[in-house]
Amino acid sequence: MPENQEEAGAGAAPEAKATPAAAAADVSPTGTPVNATPTPTPTPAPAPLSTGSGSGTPAGTPTAGAYCIWTAEDDGSPLLLDTDGKKLEHPQPRDVRAVEIYFGILDGPPPPADQVELQGSIEKLLAAVRQLYLDSQPPKPDRFRRYYVRLFQLAQLGLEGANPPTAMVATALEALTQELIDDEAARVKNGHLRLLGGWVVQYGLYGLYAYVVLSLMPAPLAALLRERMALDCGQAANFMLLWVGCFIGVWLSYGIRTAQFTLADLTRTDSDRLQPQFRLLFIGTLTMLLGLLFSLGIVELKLGTYAVSDIVRQPMLALLIGTFCGISEAALPGSLAQKATAFVGGVK
């Protein structure tokens, strides 16, 4: 979101709040925006001041709001005119054109740290609301407007005026964030499980088809493959089940680790931001590499009475180990990276 750092015009009345126009052009004696409506040019934000004694301001001294809050269009420019071209005396958060919040910096000291933090939290929540309701298909403008109006009002309350209740507004913002999570978590989680599950079924069917073909390979052809290519069809078939189990485990992993949703979980499914089909291929390839380490005896583990190297002889064990690898998808890349690093580090 844009952040204007230019000083407010000196002609604004003392009792009137500065308007976005005052940050970019002249103002009338009453503080009303004039016809000139240049788009504010964002500049680097000044360092926030602390309200403690170390900043030169005695601790406990009331802090004035350092911002002018105004509605803004999609490009971040403040909405200074209504749909008829008339100057707006006050911001109109219910205007359908308003999709961003303009945070203008008033003349005077830089904003204190708590107000800067509140601005960042509001921007973060507004970005999530936009992604959920305006960037989705189909868009849901009514639900967006409901959250936008409340966010705008919280921004005004916590960042404008004399001694704004910033801490109280921050608490209210947390409650609004939790309300959004409660409203959308089930839809987002079920939607992603459905999408991921579709890819699991598709890739899983490929793996099962390869398993059946390799398992039913005619003996003469299987012997030829073993002789000419050193390929054991039975072992290769079990690796296909290892892969299928991995896909199932990745699907289960998402359901397990999103039991408690956060705001970030609403807008991205995983921290690495891989799309579902690429996630399955990525974790599936790592699982295959781990299976090779098991089958060659490079890594020796036991699961109950079974050695994991038995995956080449026990189809159900291969399926189970693959599922465990998929469920542990978050730890799998780091574990294999450590093995590879130790190997390369031992090369003289």
Side-chain angles (χ1 to χ4, degrees), residues 9-338:
E15 70 278 8
K17 293 179 182 176
T19 64
D26 295 332
V27 295
S28 68
T30 61
T32 303
V34 295
N35 287 326
T37 58
T39 301
T41 303
T43 57
L49 292 180
S50 169
T51 56
S53 58
S55 65
T57 303
T61 301
T63 304
Y67 290 87
C68 165
I69 306 301
W70 206 267
T71 54
E73 298 180 82
D74 188 44
D75 62 359
S77 58
L79 285 166
L80 302 177
L81 303 176
D82 63 16
T83 54
D84 297 326
K86 297 180 180 178
K87 293 176 290 186
L88 290 172
E89 300 292 336
H90 305 285
Q92 303 294 328
R94 296 189 183 279
D95 189 332
V96 295
R97 299 173 299 164
V99 294
E100 294 284 356
I101 298 177
Y102 173 84
F103 295 89
I105 305 297
L106 301 180
D107 187 14
D114 59 343
Q115 293 184 18
V116 173
E117 183 179 355
L118 178 61
Q119 177 195 347
S121 298
I122 291 173
E123 289 176 333
K124 184 178 180 181
L125 182 54
L126 179 56
V129 171
R130 285 198 59 173
Q131 184 171 337
L132 287 170
Y133 297 133
L134 292 186
D135 299 339
S136 62
Q137 294 298 328
K140 304 177 182 66
D142 292 340
R143 295 188 67 83
F144 169 79
R145 189 59 49 193
R146 181 166 69 91
Y147 278 100
Y148 177 85
V149 170
R150 295 164 72 183
L151 276 171
F152 186 85
Q153 292 170 344
L154 287 177
Q156 286 183 309
L157 180 62
L159 299 174
E160 287 187 326
N163 194 25
T166 305
M168 182 186 74
V169 171
T171 302
L173 187 65
E174 291 177 2
L176 185 60
T177 300
Q178 188 58 49
E179 181 179 333
L180 178 66
I181 293 172
D182 293 340
D183 284 348
E184 296 298 324
R187 181 183 67 83
V188 170
K189 182 172 183 176
N190 291 329
H192 183 66
L193 282 174
R194 189 180 304 112
L195 176 63
L196 182 60
W199 286 104
V200 168
V201 170
Q202 181 176 337
Y203 287 170
L205 287 176
Y206 294 155
L208 288 175
Y209 178 78
Y211 171 76
V212 171
V213 170
L214 290 168
S215 298
L216 300 180
M217 185 74 65
L221 181 56
L224 181 62
L225 289 174
R226 186 181 301 107
E227 178 184 351
R228 298 291 180 86
M229 302 178 61
L231 176 64
D232 187 305
C233 291
Q235 293 184 6
N238 285 359
F239 268 86
M240 293 300 100
L241 285 185
L242 183 74
W243 213 16
V244 172
C246 170
F247 298 152
I248 296 172
V250 171
W251 186 79
L252 293 174
S253 172
Y254 178 76
I256 292 170
R257 58 190 162 78
T258 54
Q260 295 295 327
F261 249 66
T262 65
L263 181 63
D265 291 326
L266 294 179
T267 55
R268 59 173 174 80
T269 54
D270 292 285
S271 58
D272 56 15
R273 294 173 174 81
L274 285 174
Q275 295 181 9
Q277 63 271 34
F278 299 125
R279 167 168 297 280
L280 292 174
L281 292 175
F282 176 67
I283 301 300
T285 303
L286 293 179
T287 299
M288 285 291 195
L289 292 176
L290 191 60
L292 288 174
L293 294 176
F294 291 155
S295 63
L296 295 174
I298 298 173
V299 175
E300 296 183 351
L301 294 173
K302 295 202 70 174
L303 187 64
T305 60
Y306 290 95
V308 292
S309 58
D310 289 341
I311 58 173
V312 295
R313 291 179 291 274
Q314 299 284 343
M316 292 299 100
L317 181 62
L319 182 67
L320 182 62
I321 296 297
T323 304
F324 285 169
C325 289
I327 292 175
S328 305
E329 57 169 323
L332 191 58
S335 177
L336 280 174
Q338 288 179 357

